[in-house]
Amino acid sequence: MPRTAAPTLTSPVPRIADRDRRRTSASVILRSVLEHGPVARSNIARLTGLSPASVTDHCARLTRLGLIREAAAPRQSGGVGRPHVPIDLDDTRFVVGGVHVAVPHTTVALLDLRGRVVAERELKHTGDMDPCDVLDRAADGLAALLDAAPGSRPLGVGFAAGGWVDRDSGVVVEHPLLGWREVSVRDVLGARTGLPVHVDGHARALVNAERLFGRARGSGSVLHLFVGNVVDAAFATGDEVHHGPRSQAGAIAHLPVPGGTETCHCGRIGCLQAELSERTLCRRARAAGVVEGTNPRHVLRAAQDGDPVALRLLTDRARMTGRAVGLLLDVLNPETVVVTELGVLNREDCLAALRGAVGHERAAAVAPTSFADSVLAVAGGSVALDVLYRDPLGTSPEAI
Protein backbone atom coordinates (compact mmCIF):
# COMPACT_ATOMS: atom_id res chain seq x y z
CA MET A 1 0.00 0.00 0.00
CA PRO A 2 1.28 3.52 -0.72
CA ARG A 3 2.54 5.46 2.20
CA THR A 4 0.53 8.44 3.43
CA ALA A 5 2.27 11.74 2.93
CA ALA A 6 3.17 13.68 6.04
CA PRO A 7 1.24 16.89 6.72
CA THR A 8 2.79 20.00 5.25
CA LEU A 9 2.49 23.70 5.94
CA THR A 10 -0.09 23.88 3.15
CA SER A 11 -2.54 21.50 4.88
CA PRO A 12 -6.18 22.71 4.91
CA VAL A 13 -6.34 23.34 8.67
CA PRO A 14 -4.89 26.87 8.55
CA ARG A 15 -7.09 27.74 5.59
CA ILE A 16 -10.19 26.59 7.50
CA ALA A 17 -9.04 28.63 10.48
CA ASP A 18 -8.53 31.63 8.22
CA ARG A 19 -12.06 31.28 6.82
CA ASP A 20 -13.47 31.08 10.33
CA ARG A 21 -11.49 34.13 11.35
CA ARG A 22 -12.70 36.11 8.32
CA ARG A 23 -16.27 35.09 8.99
CA THR A 24 -16.01 36.10 12.64
CA SER A 25 -14.41 39.46 11.81
CA ALA A 26 -17.04 40.23 9.18
CA SER A 27 -19.77 39.37 11.68
CA VAL A 28 -18.30 41.63 14.36
CA ILE A 29 -17.99 44.51 11.90
CA LEU A 30 -21.52 44.17 10.54
CA ARG A 31 -22.94 43.98 14.08
CA SER A 32 -20.96 47.11 14.96
CA VAL A 33 -22.38 48.97 11.97
CA LEU A 34 -25.90 47.83 12.92
CA GLU A 35 -25.48 49.08 16.48
CA HIS A 36 -23.46 52.27 15.95
CA GLY A 37 -23.95 53.35 12.36
CA PRO A 38 -23.42 55.73 10.72
CA VAL A 39 -19.92 55.13 12.05
CA ALA A 40 -16.41 55.85 10.78
CA ARG A 41 -14.13 52.94 9.95
CA SER A 42 -11.64 54.20 12.52
CA ASN A 43 -14.32 53.96 15.21
CA ILE A 44 -15.19 50.44 14.10
CA ALA A 45 -11.56 49.48 14.59
CA ARG A 46 -11.63 50.99 18.07
CA LEU A 47 -14.95 49.33 18.97
CA THR A 48 -14.04 45.88 17.67
CA GLY A 49 -10.30 45.73 18.39
CA LEU A 50 -9.59 44.83 14.76
CA SER A 51 -6.81 46.51 12.82
CA PRO A 52 -7.70 49.46 10.56
CA ALA A 53 -6.50 47.45 7.55
CA SER A 54 -8.75 44.52 8.44
CA VAL A 55 -11.74 46.83 8.95
CA THR A 56 -11.12 48.51 5.59
CA ASP A 57 -10.85 45.14 3.84
CA HIS A 58 -14.02 43.73 5.40
CA CYS A 59 -15.97 46.92 4.83
CA ALA A 60 -15.07 46.67 1.13
CA ARG A 61 -16.35 43.09 1.06
CA LEU A 62 -19.57 43.98 2.85
CA THR A 63 -20.10 46.93 0.52
CA ARG A 64 -19.70 44.69 -2.52
CA LEU A 65 -22.28 42.34 -1.02
CA GLY A 66 -24.66 45.27 -0.67
CA LEU A 67 -24.94 44.99 3.11
CA ILE A 68 -23.36 48.34 4.00
CA ARG A 69 -22.83 51.65 2.21
CA GLU A 70 -21.17 54.98 2.75
CA ALA A 71 -23.44 57.49 4.43
CA ALA A 72 -24.57 60.36 2.25
CA ALA A 73 -22.87 63.21 4.09
CA PRO A 74 -19.18 63.03 5.09
CA ARG A 75 -18.42 63.74 8.71
CA GLN A 76 -15.75 66.44 9.10
CA SER A 77 -12.73 65.34 11.09
CA GLY A 78 -12.17 68.76 12.70
CA GLY A 79 -8.68 69.03 11.24
CA VAL A 80 -6.78 68.94 7.98
CA GLY A 81 -7.00 66.08 5.54
CA ARG A 82 -9.88 64.08 4.14
CA PRO A 83 -13.12 64.01 6.15
CA HIS A 84 -14.17 60.74 7.76
CA VAL A 85 -16.85 59.13 5.57
CA PRO A 86 -19.05 57.08 7.87
CA ILE A 87 -20.63 53.83 6.80
CA ASP A 88 -24.06 52.54 7.63
CA LEU A 89 -26.21 49.50 7.09
CA ASP A 90 -27.75 49.37 3.62
CA ASP A 91 -31.35 48.54 4.48
CA THR A 92 -32.74 49.50 1.06
CA ARG A 93 -31.84 46.49 -1.07
CA PHE A 94 -32.50 43.24 0.73
CA VAL A 95 -35.17 41.62 2.85
CA VAL A 96 -35.61 38.25 4.51
CA GLY A 97 -38.82 36.27 4.59
CA GLY A 98 -40.32 35.21 7.88
CA VAL A 99 -42.75 32.37 8.56
CA HIS A 100 -44.20 31.68 11.98
CA VAL A 101 -46.68 28.83 12.42
CA ALA A 102 -48.96 29.16 15.44
CA VAL A 103 -51.99 27.06 16.33
CA PRO A 104 -54.69 29.37 14.89
CA HIS A 105 -52.76 30.90 12.00
CA THR A 106 -49.50 31.29 10.09
CA THR A 107 -47.79 34.68 9.92
CA VAL A 108 -45.72 35.50 6.85
CA ALA A 109 -43.64 38.66 6.67
CA LEU A 110 -40.76 40.52 5.07
CA LEU A 111 -38.14 42.12 7.32
CA ASP A 112 -35.36 44.50 6.41
CA LEU A 113 -31.80 44.16 7.70
CA ARG A 114 -32.63 46.15 10.84
CA GLY A 115 -35.29 43.64 11.83
CA ARG A 116 -38.15 45.98 10.92
CA VAL A 117 -41.29 44.47 9.46
CA VAL A 118 -41.76 45.72 5.90
CA ALA A 119 -44.88 43.69 5.13
CA GLU A 120 -46.93 41.13 7.03
CA ARG A 121 -49.89 38.86 6.42
CA GLU A 122 -51.82 36.49 8.68
CA LEU A 123 -53.09 33.26 7.11
CA LYS A 124 -55.90 31.66 9.10
CA HIS A 125 -55.77 27.90 9.42
CA THR A 126 -58.77 26.06 8.01
CA GLY A 127 -59.49 22.35 8.16
CA ASP A 128 -56.73 20.00 9.23
CA MET A 129 -53.15 21.05 9.84
CA ASP A 130 -51.46 19.03 7.12
CA PRO A 131 -47.90 20.41 7.18
CA CYS A 132 -47.45 20.42 3.42
CA ASP A 133 -50.64 22.42 2.96
CA VAL A 134 -49.65 24.90 5.68
CA LEU A 135 -46.16 25.35 4.25
CA ASP A 136 -47.48 25.65 0.68
CA ARG A 137 -49.80 28.46 1.78
CA ALA A 138 -46.92 30.12 3.60
CA ALA A 139 -44.75 29.99 0.46
CA ASP A 140 -47.60 31.46 -1.60
CA GLY A 141 -48.06 34.19 1.02
CA LEU A 142 -44.37 35.10 0.89
CA ALA A 143 -44.45 35.20 -2.91
CA ALA A 144 -47.41 37.58 -2.78
CA LEU A 145 -45.57 39.89 -0.36
CA LEU A 146 -42.49 39.90 -2.59
CA ASP A 147 -44.59 40.61 -5.68
CA ALA A 148 -45.97 43.66 -3.88
CA ALA A 149 -42.42 44.86 -3.06
CA PRO A 150 -40.60 44.61 -6.42
CA GLY A 151 -37.58 46.59 -5.25
CA SER A 152 -36.77 44.16 -2.45
CA ARG A 153 -34.49 41.18 -3.04
CA PRO A 154 -34.83 38.21 -0.66
CA LEU A 155 -31.73 36.77 1.00
CA GLY A 156 -33.51 33.81 2.55
CA VAL A 157 -36.40 32.65 4.70
CA GLY A 158 -36.59 32.13 8.44
CA PHE A 159 -39.12 29.74 9.95
CA ALA A 160 -40.13 29.64 13.61
CA ALA A 161 -42.66 27.68 15.62
CA GLY A 162 -43.22 26.40 19.11
CA GLY A 163 -42.71 22.80 20.15
CA TRP A 164 -39.55 20.83 19.46
CA VAL A 165 -37.75 22.37 16.48
CA ASP A 166 -34.31 21.10 15.43
CA ARG A 167 -32.31 23.96 13.96
CA ASP A 168 -29.53 21.82 12.49
CA SER A 169 -31.73 19.43 10.51
CA GLY A 170 -34.42 22.01 9.70
CA VAL A 171 -37.11 19.73 11.10
CA VAL A 172 -40.10 20.28 13.38
CA VAL A 173 -39.54 17.14 15.43
CA GLU A 174 -42.75 17.39 17.40
CA HIS A 175 -45.51 19.95 17.84
CA PRO A 176 -48.39 18.21 19.62
CA LEU A 177 -50.86 21.08 19.24
CA LEU A 178 -50.35 21.12 15.47
CA GLY A 179 -50.14 17.34 15.24
CA TRP A 180 -46.77 17.63 13.46
CA ARG A 181 -44.01 15.06 13.78
CA GLU A 182 -40.72 14.98 11.85
CA VAL A 183 -41.74 17.66 9.36
CA SER A 184 -38.83 18.63 7.09
CA VAL A 185 -39.63 22.33 6.96
CA ARG A 186 -36.31 23.37 5.43
CA ASP A 187 -36.69 20.98 2.51
CA VAL A 188 -40.36 21.79 1.83
CA LEU A 189 -40.06 25.57 2.04
CA GLY A 190 -36.73 25.55 0.23
CA ALA A 191 -38.22 23.63 -2.69
CA ARG A 192 -41.22 25.96 -2.83
CA THR A 193 -39.36 29.26 -2.53
CA GLY A 194 -36.00 28.50 -4.13
CA LEU A 195 -34.33 30.34 -1.25
CA PRO A 196 -32.11 29.28 1.66
CA VAL A 197 -34.36 28.35 4.59
CA HIS A 198 -33.33 28.48 8.24
CA VAL A 199 -35.41 26.93 11.00
CA ASP A 200 -35.58 27.37 14.78
CA GLY A 201 -37.90 27.47 17.77
CA HIS A 202 -39.71 30.76 18.29
CA ALA A 203 -38.37 31.42 21.81
CA ARG A 204 -34.78 31.09 20.57
CA ALA A 205 -35.61 33.20 17.52
CA LEU A 206 -36.90 35.97 19.76
CA VAL A 207 -33.82 35.84 21.99
CA ASN A 208 -31.75 36.49 18.87
CA ALA A 209 -34.09 39.31 17.85
CA GLU A 210 -33.74 40.95 21.27
CA ARG A 211 -29.94 40.64 21.11
CA LEU A 212 -29.71 42.08 17.59
CA PHE A 213 -32.47 44.68 17.49
CA GLY A 214 -34.14 44.92 20.90
CA ARG A 215 -33.61 46.08 24.45
CA ALA A 216 -31.42 43.09 25.31
CA ARG A 217 -28.64 44.28 22.96
CA GLY A 218 -25.38 44.20 24.91
CA SER A 219 -26.79 42.13 27.76
CA GLY A 220 -24.45 39.44 29.07
CA SER A 221 -27.21 36.84 29.41
CA VAL A 222 -30.85 36.79 28.33
CA LEU A 223 -33.80 34.57 29.19
CA HIS A 224 -36.89 34.71 26.98
CA LEU A 225 -40.21 33.22 28.10
CA PHE A 226 -42.89 32.78 25.43
CA VAL A 227 -46.44 32.30 26.70
CA GLY A 228 -49.03 31.56 24.02
CA ASN A 229 -50.78 28.31 23.24
CA VAL A 230 -47.28 26.87 23.53
CA VAL A 231 -45.18 27.86 26.53
CA ASP A 232 -41.42 27.60 26.12
CA ALA A 233 -38.20 29.40 26.91
CA ALA A 234 -34.74 30.17 25.54
CA PHE A 235 -31.50 31.21 27.19
CA ALA A 236 -28.48 33.01 25.75
CA THR A 237 -25.13 33.82 27.29
CA GLY A 238 -22.90 36.25 25.48
CA ASP A 239 -23.46 35.68 21.77
CA GLU A 240 -24.66 32.07 22.01
CA VAL A 241 -28.18 30.72 22.44
CA HIS A 242 -28.25 27.37 24.18
CA HIS A 243 -29.83 24.69 21.97
CA GLY A 244 -28.86 21.41 23.61
CA PRO A 245 -28.75 18.04 21.82
CA ARG A 246 -31.03 18.17 18.77
CA SER A 247 -32.29 21.58 19.94
CA GLN A 248 -34.36 20.28 22.85
CA ALA A 249 -33.39 23.06 25.28
CA GLY A 250 -36.19 25.31 26.51
CA ALA A 251 -38.90 22.65 26.77
CA ILE A 252 -40.56 23.83 29.98
CA ALA A 253 -44.18 22.86 29.30
CA HIS A 254 -44.22 20.49 32.28
CA LEU A 255 -42.44 22.76 34.74
CA PRO A 256 -44.56 22.63 37.93
CA VAL A 257 -46.05 25.99 38.91
CA PRO A 258 -46.90 26.65 42.58
CA GLY A 259 -50.64 27.10 42.99
CA GLY A 260 -51.57 25.45 39.70
CA THR A 261 -54.90 23.66 39.38
CA GLU A 262 -55.12 22.54 35.74
CA THR A 263 -54.81 18.88 34.84
CA CYS A 264 -52.21 18.37 32.12
CA HIS A 265 -52.47 15.71 29.42
CA CYS A 266 -49.48 14.06 31.11
CA GLY A 267 -51.73 13.36 34.12
CA ARG A 268 -50.12 15.80 36.54
CA ILE A 269 -51.66 18.96 37.97
CA GLY A 270 -50.13 22.41 37.64
CA CYS A 271 -47.84 21.97 34.61
CA LEU A 272 -46.80 25.35 33.23
CA GLN A 273 -48.30 25.05 29.75
CA ALA A 274 -51.58 23.61 31.01
CA GLU A 275 -51.90 26.58 33.40
CA LEU A 276 -50.83 29.39 31.07
CA SER A 277 -51.94 28.27 27.62
CA GLU A 278 -54.16 30.67 25.70
CA ARG A 279 -56.54 27.74 25.33
CA THR A 280 -56.85 27.62 29.11
CA LEU A 281 -57.35 31.38 29.29
CA CYS A 282 -60.16 31.26 26.72
CA ARG A 283 -61.83 28.24 28.33
CA ARG A 284 -61.89 30.01 31.68
CA ALA A 285 -63.26 33.14 30.02
CA ARG A 286 -66.03 31.15 28.33
CA ALA A 287 -66.91 29.41 31.59
CA ALA A 288 -67.20 32.81 33.29
CA GLY A 289 -69.40 34.16 30.50
CA VAL A 290 -66.84 36.79 29.47
CA VAL A 291 -66.42 35.80 25.81
CA GLU A 292 -67.31 33.16 23.30
CA GLY A 293 -64.85 31.40 21.04
CA THR A 294 -61.12 30.80 21.30
CA ASN A 295 -59.50 34.14 20.50
CA PRO A 296 -57.50 35.37 23.53
CA ARG A 297 -57.59 38.94 22.18
CA HIS A 298 -61.31 38.95 22.88
CA VAL A 299 -60.48 38.46 26.57
CA LEU A 300 -58.06 41.39 26.34
CA ARG A 301 -60.71 43.52 24.65
CA ALA A 302 -63.22 42.68 27.37
CA ALA A 303 -60.70 43.79 30.00
CA GLN A 304 -60.04 47.01 28.07
CA ASP A 305 -63.81 47.61 28.09
CA GLY A 306 -63.89 47.32 31.87
CA ASP A 307 -64.96 43.71 32.46
CA PRO A 308 -63.62 42.88 35.94
CA VAL A 309 -63.62 39.11 35.37
CA ALA A 310 -61.57 39.43 32.18
CA LEU A 311 -59.13 41.68 34.02
CA ARG A 312 -58.83 39.17 36.87
CA LEU A 313 -58.16 36.33 34.41
CA LEU A 314 -55.40 38.33 32.72
CA THR A 315 -53.73 39.52 35.93
CA ASP A 316 -53.92 36.02 37.44
CA ARG A 317 -52.22 34.66 34.32
CA ALA A 318 -49.55 37.37 34.48
CA ARG A 319 -48.97 36.63 38.15
CA MET A 320 -48.51 32.92 37.49
CA THR A 321 -46.17 33.77 34.60
CA GLY A 322 -44.17 35.77 37.14
CA ARG A 323 -43.90 32.72 39.38
CA ALA A 324 -42.52 30.75 36.45
CA VAL A 325 -40.04 33.56 35.73
CA GLY A 326 -38.96 33.44 39.37
CA LEU A 327 -38.23 29.72 39.12
CA LEU A 328 -36.18 30.23 35.96
CA LEU A 329 -34.33 33.14 37.53
CA ASP A 330 -33.37 30.91 40.44
CA VAL A 331 -31.92 28.30 38.07
CA LEU A 332 -30.31 30.45 35.35
CA ASN A 333 -29.74 33.86 36.98
CA PRO A 334 -29.83 35.84 33.70
CA GLU A 335 -29.00 39.51 33.51
CA THR A 336 -32.15 40.24 31.46
CA VAL A 337 -35.54 38.50 31.24
CA VAL A 338 -37.88 39.15 28.32
CA VAL A 339 -41.48 37.95 28.42
CA THR A 340 -43.90 37.57 25.52
CA GLU A 341 -47.39 37.23 27.00
CA LEU A 342 -50.65 38.85 25.88
CA GLY A 343 -51.59 40.72 29.06
CA VAL A 344 -48.04 41.79 29.88
CA LEU A 345 -47.61 43.27 26.40
CA ASN A 346 -50.79 45.30 26.54
CA ARG A 347 -51.55 46.28 30.13
CA GLU A 348 -49.45 47.95 32.80
CA ASP A 349 -51.42 46.22 35.57
CA CYS A 350 -50.50 42.82 34.11
CA LEU A 351 -46.83 43.83 33.88
CA ALA A 352 -47.02 44.99 37.51
CA ALA A 353 -48.59 41.66 38.54
CA LEU A 354 -45.81 39.78 36.73
CA ARG A 355 -43.06 41.82 38.38
CA GLY A 356 -44.74 41.54 41.77
CA ALA A 357 -44.68 37.75 41.54
CA VAL A 358 -41.02 37.83 40.49
CA GLY A 359 -40.12 39.87 43.56
CA HIS A 360 -39.10 43.48 44.09
CA GLU A 361 -35.36 42.83 44.15
CA ARG A 362 -35.39 41.24 40.67
CA ALA A 363 -38.35 42.96 39.02
CA ALA A 364 -36.22 45.53 37.18
CA ALA A 365 -34.55 42.77 35.17
CA VAL A 366 -37.90 41.69 33.66
CA ALA A 367 -39.40 43.45 30.63
CA PRO A 368 -41.92 42.70 27.88
CA THR A 369 -40.73 41.90 24.37
CA SER A 370 -39.38 44.76 22.27
CA PHE A 371 -41.65 43.69 19.38
CA ALA A 372 -45.14 43.85 20.84
CA ASP A 373 -46.81 44.86 17.57
CA SER A 374 -45.13 42.24 15.39
CA VAL A 375 -43.70 39.54 17.62
CA LEU A 376 -44.59 36.54 15.42
CA ALA A 377 -43.37 38.20 12.22
CA VAL A 378 -40.11 39.15 13.94
CA ALA A 379 -39.71 35.61 15.29
CA GLY A 380 -39.78 34.10 11.81
CA GLY A 381 -37.59 36.69 10.11
CA SER A 382 -35.03 36.79 12.92
CA VAL A 383 -34.10 33.16 12.31
CA ALA A 384 -32.72 34.20 8.90
CA LEU A 385 -31.27 37.50 10.16
CA ASP A 386 -29.35 35.74 12.92
CA VAL A 387 -27.69 33.56 10.28
CA LEU A 388 -26.87 36.64 8.18
CA TYR A 389 -25.26 38.51 11.08
CA ARG A 390 -23.27 35.46 12.12
CA ASP A 391 -21.92 34.85 8.62
CA PRO A 392 -22.41 37.88 6.35
CA LEU A 393 -19.81 36.59 3.91
CA GLY A 394 -22.05 33.59 3.29
CA THR A 395 -24.78 35.78 1.81
CA SER A 396 -26.51 33.92 -1.00
CA PRO A 397 -24.78 34.74 -4.31
CA GLU A 398 -28.16 34.43 -6.05
CA ALA A 399 -29.31 37.52 -4.17
CA ILE A 400 -26.45 39.72 -5.33
Side-chain angles (χ1 to χ4, degrees):
M1 296 180 64
R3 297 177 63 183
T4 303
T8 69
L9 293 177
T10 58
S11 67
V13 174
R15 292 199 295 271
I16 293 172
D18 287 344
R19 287 199 299 270
D20 289 343
R21 190 159 44 248
R22 286 195 297 270
R23 181 168 59 244
T24 300
S25 297
S27 172
V28 169
I29 290 170
L30 188 61
R31 289 276 296 272
S32 183
V33 174
L34 170 68
E35 185 169 355
H36 300 285
V39 59
R41 292 169 180 81
S42 57
N43 285 337
I44 294 176
R46 178 180 56 81
L47 290 164
T48 63
L50 296 170
S51 70
S54 179
V55 169
T56 297
D57 178 59
H58 281 293
C59 284
R61 291 171 183 263
L62 295 173
T63 300
R64 286 196 298 271
L65 288 171
L67 301 176
I68 65 174
R69 60 181 176 177
E70 290 189 343
R75 182 177 298 163
Q76 297 298 327
S77 64
V80 296
R82 295 180 59 191
H84 295 297
V85 180
I87 56 174
D88 203 358
L89 203 66
D90 189 345
D91 54 14
T92 64
R93 298 180 61 184
F94 299 122
V95 294
V96 298
V99 177
H100 179 279
V101 178
V103 174
H105 54 76
T106 293
T107 301
V108 294
L110 302 178
L111 276 66
D112 69 12
L113 299 192
R114 297 186 189 276
R116 298 176 300 201
V117 177
V118 176
E120 180 178 359
R121 182 176 296 180
E122 190 176 281
L123 309 174
K124 297 288 186 183
H125 293 159
T126 58
D128 63 27
M129 290 294 297
D130 178 77
C132 288
D133 290 343
V134 171
L135 296 175
D136 279 348
R137 290 189 67 209
D140 290 340
L142 284 176
L145 293 181
L146 286 167
D147 286 344
S152 299
R153 303 172 67 183
L155 291 174
V157 177
F159 171 94
W164 179 3
V165 182
D166 182 5
R167 174 189 62 170
D168 293 335
S169 65
V171 169
V172 174
V173 181
E174 185 175 26
H175 194 310
L177 295 182
L178 295 179
W180 288 14
R181 289 184 63 86
E182 300 293 343
V183 178
S184 299
V185 172
R186 179 184 296 156
D187 293 342
V188 175
L189 272 182
R192 286 286 278 105
T193 64
L195 293 166
V197 176
H198 310 284
V199 175
D200 210 344
H202 59 199
R204 290 189 293 266
L206 287 167
V207 162
N208 284 324
E210 292 287 348
R211 288 172 43 256
L212 284 170
F213 315 112
R215 58 172 53 94
R217 179 186 284 172
S219 181
S221 55
V222 186
L223 167 69
H224 182 270
L225 178 62
F226 186 98
V227 181
N229 278 308
V230 173
V231 179
D232 52 14
F235 182 62
T237 54
D239 199 37
E240 293 299 325
V241 177
H242 181 59
H243 282 75
R246 210 182 176 193
S247 299
Q248 292 187 74
I252 59 170
H254 299 288
L255 183 74
V257 179
T261 60
E262 290 289 325
T263 300
C264 181
H265 65 80
C266 73
R268 291 178 291 184
I269 293 176
C271 290
L272 184 61
Q273 184 165 293
E275 293 292 337
L276 298 183
S277 163
E278 288 178 347
R279 290 184 170 188
T280 300
L281 173 67
C282 291
R283 180 179 55 75
R284 289 173 175 171
R286 289 195 304 272
V290 174
V291 297
E292 298 178 356
T294 58
N295 189 335
R297 291 201 165 271
H298 293 170
V299 184
L300 177 64
R301 188 177 307 149
Q304 306 284 44
D305 291 340
D307 188 306
V309 178
L311 177 57
R312 177 180 57 79
L313 289 171
L314 288 172
T315 52
D316 284 350
R317 186 178 191 235
R319 193 172 294 111
M320 190 162 288
T321 300
R323 293 176 191 152
V325 169
L327 291 172
L328 294 169
L329 275 164
D330 288 340
V331 174
L332 299 171
N333 192 30
E335 182 178 326
T336 303
V337 179
V338 179
V339 176
T340 298
E341 190 273 335
L342 180 68
V344 171
L345 300 188
N346 290 280
R347 295 187 62 93
E348 287 296 326
D349 45 11
C350 289
L351 178 58
L354 169 77
R355 287 174 167 164
V358 169
H360 174 74
E361 67 282 359
R362 301 187 294 186
V366 183
T369 177
S370 304
F371 315 104
D373 296 331
S374 54
V375 64
L376 301 184
V378 169
S382 290
V383 178
L385 288 171
D386 175 63
V387 173
L388 170 67
Y389 278 96
R390 288 183 184 278
D391 184 15
L393 300 183
T395 300
S396 172
E398 290 81 8
I400 305 303

